[in-house]
Amino acid sequence: MPLQEIEFRTVDYSSDTELRTYSRLFWNIPLEHNAYFTCRSESFLDDYVATARQTEDAGNTFSGIALHQGEIVGLHLVRRYEEWEQVGVHIAGLWVHPEYRGIGIARTLKNQGETWARSIGATFINANIQAGNRRMLKISEQAGFSLFRFNMRKRL
């Protein structure tokens, strides 16, 4: 699959189908690498979609998608936040369908997210990556990310 066949743009928040599909995919990302996470219910998604419509805009959220023949095959969610006197962004999720990995979709989405972050005046990007997700660790290191802090968890 050549990268040229992939369409990149942001989510259409006015489309119920597209926003709901995007949201479902976003909330399924942790299931692959996180034993602490469970699948989200339809009512949870209803609330999430309604909140996203009310609170997310181009000034505080980058909701990038990669489409192939109209289907979402990749997504990137980046949110603005402030840390003391600095504006930063946090990568809430980056995912590419397994059949489309390795052709540059994640790299393209990351670059678009970074361009958006610069446009809102962000001076840094934070990302949490599951420790076992070696592919994303490698992609992030190649994109210039470095280890900043550890987030540890203990099951009770």
Side-chain angles (χ1 to χ4, degrees):
M1 167 69 49
L3 190 60
Q4 295 82 2
E5 293 184 22
I6 305 299
E7 174 191 358
F8 293 92
R9 63 174 173 81
T10 56
V11 169
D12 178 0
Y13 279 74
S14 69
S15 168
D16 290 329
T17 301
E18 185 168 289
L19 183 55
R20 188 169 187 83
T21 300
Y22 176 84
S23 299
R24 160 92 39 223
L25 291 169
F26 168 73
W27 282 104
N28 283 343
I29 293 170
L31 297 174
E32 187 175 347
H33 296 281
N34 187 342
Y36 292 91
F37 207 77
T38 59
C39 192
R40 299 299 176 207
S41 69
E42 292 305 309
S43 63
F44 175 91
L45 285 173
D46 290 341
D47 292 343
Y48 182 81
V49 166
T51 299
R53 272 206 180 99
Q54 293 172 358
T55 62
E56 294 178 4
D57 60 46
N60 66 21
T61 306
F62 172 79
S63 301
I65 55 176
L67 298 134
H68 183 244
Q69 299 177 348
E71 296 294 319
I72 298 174
V73 297
L75 67 83
H76 191 32
L77 179 57
V78 186
R79 293 189 175 118
R80 179 191 190 278
Y81 77 102
E82 293 181 24
E83 187 173 88
W84 296 285
E85 70 282 352
Q86 295 185 39
V87 173
V89 297
H90 178 76
I91 296 174
L94 176 62
W95 169 84
V96 176
H97 188 284
E99 293 177 17
Y100 292 84
R101 292 178 183 166
I103 63 170
I105 293 173
R107 188 168 286 110
T108 301
L109 287 168
K110 273 181 106 57
N111 288 341
Q112 290 177 345
E114 187 170 325
T115 297
W116 170 80
R118 290 179 198 282
S119 79
I120 64 159
T123 59
F124 63 91
I125 301 172
N126 276 351
N128 295 334
I129 302 168
Q130 296 295 328
N133 190 346
R134 301 284 181 216
R135 174 175 240 151
M136 187 49 62
L137 288 168
K138 182 178 178 183
I139 289 169
S140 295
E141 287 172 352
Q142 289 172 342
F145 285 75
S146 59
L147 185 61
F148 177 64
R149 71 176 84 156
F150 290 102
N151 179 347
M152 299 181 76
R153 187 170 286 185
K154 177 181 178 180
R155 188 177 291 283
L156 301 176

